[in-house]
Structures are given as structure tokens and as C-alpha cells.
Amino acid sequence: MSFRFKPIPTLFVSAISAILVVACANETEVRVPLSVESATQYAATASVVGADASTALDATLSIATQLVPGTTSKLPAGRPRGLASNLGCPGGGTATMTIAGASAQEESNGQFEANEAYQIAFIDCRAAGGAATLNGAVTLSVLDATRSATAVALSTTTLKAGLPRGVVSLIGSAELQRTVVTGGRGSQATTRVTASSLDITTGVHGGSGSFTLSRVDLTRQTSTTTGAPQSVSFGGTLALAGEVAGHSVDYNVATQPGATFDANGLPIQGRWVITLAHHVVKLAVADGNVTIDIDAGNGPAVGSSFSQPLLAFVADAS
């Protein structure tokens, strides 16, 4: 018995070779280690950008709720409705507020009411006991309001918030749900921020970063005693894309609920998971130290783990 060898067409061989080359290239790409410098920058950025956005938006709603009662004295009998009220902000600065969608009684009662819309322009405006200084304009559409809870849809193209770490600029829309529980001399405010797309620019120590946040679902909790903040914590998820310190970033961030920050807005305890295209970076902050684990994912592990003092890490936060 004899066998006759039949040559495989050249085109078929070329196609198979191309597939193998692409497969190898993809495998090589997956296994390329992520540098310590990049991993640290990604982790530092991920730990603060969502917190900054939440803080700026929470401050905006907090200041608005403190301004609304002031409209009562600005609306004397017979005053035309819908005119702007010029108000002094509780912590300094000024604001101009215009109310729409309210009845005459609702407009003058000094409270948020469902279906009201507020246009507010801030000039160096601060809340009582608050660290944020607001400039720019926002529109707040009240979705629901009770004595202890407020839900609004917020939009802006000009809002800038001066925070302890630097100035944060926001463009876009978000929904905020804020609940305040009081007891004795203390209170706890919980604010949930959700947004499909929100542009944020941060500026810290002469540096800056510009990002688009999407799939935002963040919760901020603040505890105060006699009006002074005692603790701030965050948790939630978002997708972040943009550029910081010469690095292009595009990843998902999950913050473990209860991540805590100091008065300057820097993380002091918590866990974050940063998911990139081919790596997962896990960040843990505790006891003045930072640990970063890099997992390359597929195939044999190509990753690393390293630690550094918290002070060195926060220098990379943008």
C-alpha cells in the first residue's frame, strides 16, 4: 500500500501562521509586566479621583440646602416670582439663586420641594464648617425631598470646587441622594452619587489630570460633631479614562465600602481594585503603609507585590 503526499496550499499555511503569530503576540502582550511606577500612579489616581468628585458634588448639594432657607427673607409679599435671590453663603462668599417650578407658597417656604428647579451661581461660596469653596453655576432639579433626605439631578458646565488637595472642575450631570441623621451633638450625612458620564479635571501641587468618569456609583459618608467633620469614608465603583502625569489611563475602580480619608482628602485606610485590560492592581492602605499587588491574569503569573510608606504614595495622588 502506498500513500501519496498532497501539498497544503500556500495560502492556507500563511493563514495558519498568521493566526499563530497573532496568538503569540496576544499572549506576549498579556504577560508583559506592569511597571512599579505605572502601577503606583494608577493606584494613586484611582484612590482619589472618585472621592474628589463625590466630595465636590456633596458640597454643592450641602451648600444649596443651607442657602434655600435664606430665600424666605428674600421674598417679601408681592415680590415677582422667579427673580434671583442674592444670598450670603454660610461659610463666606455669595450665591445667586433662581427658583422655577414652584408655587408662590413653595417658593417662599425656604425648603426643597419635589419638581422645583434651582439655578445657582456661586462666587467663592462655602458651607458652614465646610472645606470646599465653590465657583461656577449649577442647575438642581429636585426629585424628592423630606426633612432628612433630598434627591436631586444636578448638571453643570462651569462648577469648580476648591478642596484641600486642590481645585476640581466638573462638567456633566449626576444624581445625588443625600440623607442626614442627627443625634445629640453629632450627625451623619450619607450621599450617593450616580452618573453615566462626568468629566473631571484635578489640579494638585501644580500638576493636573483630566478624566471622564462613567458608570459612577459612589457613596460618601461624613460624621460630624458640633458641625466639625470627624471622619469621611467612601465606597463604590466607577470607570475612569483620561490622562495624568503623562500616563493614559483606562480602567475600572472598585472601592471597598468604608475606605477612610483624612482632612486633606487623602486615603488613610481601605482597599481598592483597579481592573485594566490585562492586569489587576490591588491597593491596600493601612497603618501608614501602602501595599500594591499586580496580577497579570492569564497563564503563569507575571506580577509582583511591593509596599511603601503612605507619605510616598500620596505624593503620586493627582
Side-chain angles (χ1 to χ4, degrees):
M1 181 181 295
S2 63
F3 297 91
R4 183 178 180 183
F5 175 73
K6 293 183 179 181
I8 301 175
T10 302
L11 181 61
F12 182 76
V13 173
S14 299
I16 292 295
S17 299
I19 291 172
L20 292 174
V21 168
V22 171
C24 291
N26 287 338
E27 183 68 16
T28 301
E29 183 181 5
V30 169
R31 299 188 184 201
V32 171
L34 184 66
S35 71
V36 169
E37 177 189 12
S38 293
T40 302
Q41 182 65 68
Y42 294 161
T45 300
S47 68
V48 296
V49 170
D52 282 348
S54 297
T55 297
L57 293 172
D58 177 64
T60 303
L61 181 53
S62 176
I63 290 175
T65 58
Q66 293 178 51
L67 287 173
V68 171
T71 60
T72 303
S73 61
K74 301 293 183 178
L75 293 171
R79 176 188 185 276
R81 292 169 54 203
L83 294 184
S85 297
N86 298 313
L87 305 171
C89 297
T94 60
T96 301
M97 178 182 291
T98 303
I99 308 173
S103 67
Q105 180 179 357
E106 290 171 340
E107 185 174 332
S108 62
N109 68 4
Q111 299 177 18
F112 275 138
E113 302 283 352
N115 300 318
E116 289 180 338
Y118 291 79
Q119 292 184 338
I120 310 173
F122 302 105
I123 301 177
D124 295 331
C125 182
R126 299 185 64 182
T133 301
L134 301 183
N135 284 281
V138 300
T139 297
L140 295 179
S141 298
V142 182
L143 305 176
D144 195 13
T146 65
R147 184 178 297 273
S148 61
T150 305
V152 302
L154 179 151
S155 63
T156 182
T157 58
T158 61
L159 181 63
K160 293 185 177 181
L163 305 178
R165 293 195 326 104
V167 177
V168 173
S169 301
L170 294 170
I171 298 175
S173 301
E175 290 193 4
L176 286 73
Q177 299 174 335
R178 192 171 196 268
T179 302
V180 179
V181 178
T182 59
R185 296 184 302 167
S187 66
Q188 184 177 70
T190 301
T191 303
R192 182 183 180 189
V193 177
T194 56
S196 58
S197 181
L198 191 64
D199 292 334
I200 177 172
T201 301
T202 63
V204 181
H205 307 307
S208 64
S210 297
F211 313 94
T212 295
L213 310 184
S214 57
R215 301 193 298 276
V216 177
D217 191 346
L218 299 170
T219 298
R220 181 182 193 271
Q221 288 188 321
T222 307
S223 296
T224 62
T225 301
T226 61
Q230 300 300 309
S231 65
V232 179
S233 64
F234 292 88
T237 58
L238 60 86
L240 181 151
E243 185 171 328
V244 58
H247 292 267
S248 294
V249 297
D250 188 355
Y251 47 67
N252 297 321
V253 182
T255 304
Q256 176 180 300
T260 57
F261 289 68
D262 66 13
N264 294 316
L266 294 169
I268 55 177
Q269 183 172 327
R271 293 180 179 274
W272 291 257
V273 177
I274 300 99
T275 305
L276 294 89
H278 300 301
H279 298 85
V280 175
V281 177
K282 297 179 180 179
L283 167 65
V285 179
D287 301 324
N289 290 292
V290 172
T291 301
I292 297 176
D293 292 308
I294 305 171
D295 183 357
N298 299 334
V302 181
S304 61
S305 178
F306 56 94
S307 298
Q308 64 180 148
L310 178 60
L311 291 178
F313 173 78
V314 299
D316 291 309
S318 175

